[in-house]
Amino acid sequence: MDARVGALNAGHGGGAAAVDGGPSRITQQQEHEQQQQALQQQPQIGTWQHLLSGGVAGAVSKTCTAPLARLTILFQVQGMHSDVATLSRPSMWREASRIVCEEGFRAFWKGNLVTIAHRLPYSSISFYAYERYKILLQSVPGLDRHNDFVAADICLRLLGGGLAGITAASVTYPLDLVRTRLAAQTNVIYYRDISHALYTICRDEGVKGLYKGLGSTLLGVGPNIAISFSVYEKLRSHWQLRRPEDNTALVGLGCGSISGIASSSVTFPLDLVRRRMQLEGAAGRARVYNKGLFATFGQIVESEGLRGLYRGILPEYFKVVPSIGIVFLTYESLKRFFSGVPSDSE
């Protein structure tokens, strides 16, 4: 789910008001005016503040949830180089105890430095790109009526969120791959640090090796980010219209967590395939999935069953709520700080 966490935008809490059904015109004028007033009250900040707010929000979130993220990765790659029939049922407590006993407590943050190095540009690009894509898409015929038509408003968010996620993932993908390989290492250390991993991958697998699994990433990040943006902004708009006195930080925390669960449930199999393809040929191991993206899906289902596509979903669920919540909470707080808008507690 790393392709999702840093790309969620708590920026403009727009959203559709009540509708008569389908792409019909919004008829509750008073509610629409309240929504526009809420939009105007949102913090307005410049380019570098957007970049810094998004980057810091992603880095803080990933650092806080690094132990659960590493458990997710270790579970996802189980069965890749071992007999699936001999694997025991995944246990978060058992795996966490093994990490502490064999690798030490600090091992929960293995690869976190490269995570931050990846998350800062990823989050910055995705947050900023979402704002820019929304402005660009508003000039497209049909989408320019997004304030009046529900269908146009939803389409604007889905396209903006998906394009932002794809842009950020494409630019920063090599760092994401390195992070996966560092986090997947247990007792045998093949990659010492970020620079050594980048050099070794290029030496052993060529420059193309830095982009293994990019196809599944781009295929998943679009709907992943789009679902997160759409669910978050819809919930946030609905909540603020009916309970405008509630603390905006808590609203962002709750809505962000729900949006993370929704997107995780839909796109987790793609994330699992991405992780396994990222580890193809790592540390000189033989290739396991060498017939393409869709053949990899079939191979996993054939050897591990449908449940194999959701291996590691439990720690992911435990991770996604605080992770997404921290992203939105940090981003909203930094936007208010930079814009000079006083918080609700002041």
Side-chain angles (χ1 to χ4, degrees):
M1 291 313 131
D2 296 332
R4 181 199 68 249
V5 173
L8 298 178
N9 186 349
H12 302 293
V19 296
D20 293 329
S24 59
R25 188 176 182 83
I26 297 175
T27 59
Q28 297 187 4
Q29 186 63 29
Q30 184 177 4
E31 186 171 329
H32 179 67
E33 292 175 355
Q34 292 175 350
Q35 174 185 338
Q36 295 305 309
Q37 292 176 0
L39 283 173
Q40 294 174 0
Q41 294 173 357
Q42 290 297 315
Q44 302 299 317
I45 59 179
T47 299
W48 74 267
Q49 291 97 331
H50 267 298
L51 295 173
L52 183 60
S53 298
V56 172
V60 170
S61 172
K62 296 302 294 182
T63 301
C64 292
T65 59
L68 288 169
R70 183 158 191 243
L71 286 174
T72 298
I73 292 175
L74 291 175
F75 284 142
Q76 284 179 324
V77 301
Q78 282 183 352
M80 187 173 176
H81 292 283
S82 48
D83 186 1
V84 178
T86 64
L87 291 177
S88 58
R89 186 173 181 176
S91 169
M92 291 178 57
W93 174 252
R94 185 167 57 246
E95 184 64 18
S97 300
R98 183 201 64 77
I99 292 174
V100 173
C101 293
E102 297 181 5
E103 305 176 57
F105 187 75
R106 292 180 60 184
F108 281 116
W109 281 268
K110 184 179 289 185
N112 189 59
L113 181 60
V114 69
T115 297
I116 295 176
H118 166 261
R119 190 54 48 186
L120 284 170
Y122 182 95
S123 298
S124 299
I125 293 170
S126 55
F127 273 98
Y128 181 68
Y130 180 62
E131 300 292 342
R132 302 283 74 78
Y133 278 128
K134 285 207 302 185
I135 294 174
L136 179 63
L137 290 170
Q138 286 172 12
S139 63
V140 176
L143 296 182
D144 55 348
R145 305 295 302 277
H146 67 97
N147 285 330
D148 299 322
F149 292 93
V150 176
D153 184 59
I154 293 176
C155 186
L156 178 69
R157 297 180 197 169
L158 292 176
L159 287 175
L163 289 172
I166 289 172
T167 300
S170 300
V171 173
T172 62
Y173 189 79
L175 287 173
D176 183 51
L177 181 139
V178 169
R179 186 257 174 165
T180 299
R181 296 201 176 184
L182 289 175
Q185 294 183 138
T186 52
N187 295 323
V188 179
I189 304 299
Y190 190 78
Y191 306 109
R192 295 192 300 270
D193 50 36
I194 301 174
S195 59
H196 180 255
L198 289 171
Y199 168 77
T200 304
I201 292 171
C202 291
R203 183 196 64 194
D204 296 346
E205 307 166 51
V207 176
K208 287 185 177 181
L210 295 174
Y211 293 90
K212 287 182 177 178
L214 180 60
S216 59
T217 299
L218 297 183
L219 186 62
V221 73
N224 198 315
I225 301 299
I227 292 170
S228 296
F229 277 128
S230 183
V231 172
Y232 171 78
E233 289 197 341
K234 183 67 175 178
L235 287 174
R236 186 170 181 267
S237 175
H238 182 80
W239 194 330
Q240 287 187 329
L241 286 173
R242 283 155 180 76
R243 298 181 62 90
E245 71 282 357
D246 286 353
N247 185 284
T248 56
L250 294 179
V251 172
L253 184 65
C255 295
S257 299
I258 295 174
S259 73
I261 292 175
S263 59
S264 295
S265 301
V266 174
T267 61
F268 189 82
L270 278 169
D271 187 65
L272 181 140
V273 170
R274 172 173 69 101
R275 293 297 186 201
R276 295 198 177 186
M277 295 185 74
Q278 285 179 331
L279 291 171
E280 280 286 86
R285 292 181 176 179
R287 294 178 59 87
V288 179
Y289 311 109
N290 53 13
K291 297 181 181 179
L293 174 61
F294 296 103
T296 299
F297 272 102
Q299 193 171 341
I300 293 174
V301 172
E302 182 180 355
S303 60
E304 304 174 50
L306 288 174
R307 294 180 61 181
L309 293 175
Y310 288 90
R311 190 179 295 274
I313 190 67
L314 185 59
E316 179 63 27
Y317 277 148
F318 279 107
K319 181 193 75 173
V320 74
V321 174
S323 179
I324 302 298
I326 293 170
V327 165
F328 282 116
L329 184 63
T330 306
Y331 186 63
E332 290 282 5
S333 300
L334 287 173
K335 281 183 67 177
R336 288 189 175 276
F337 172 78
F338 286 126
S339 65
V341 177
S343 63
D344 294 344
S345 60
E346 293 181 349

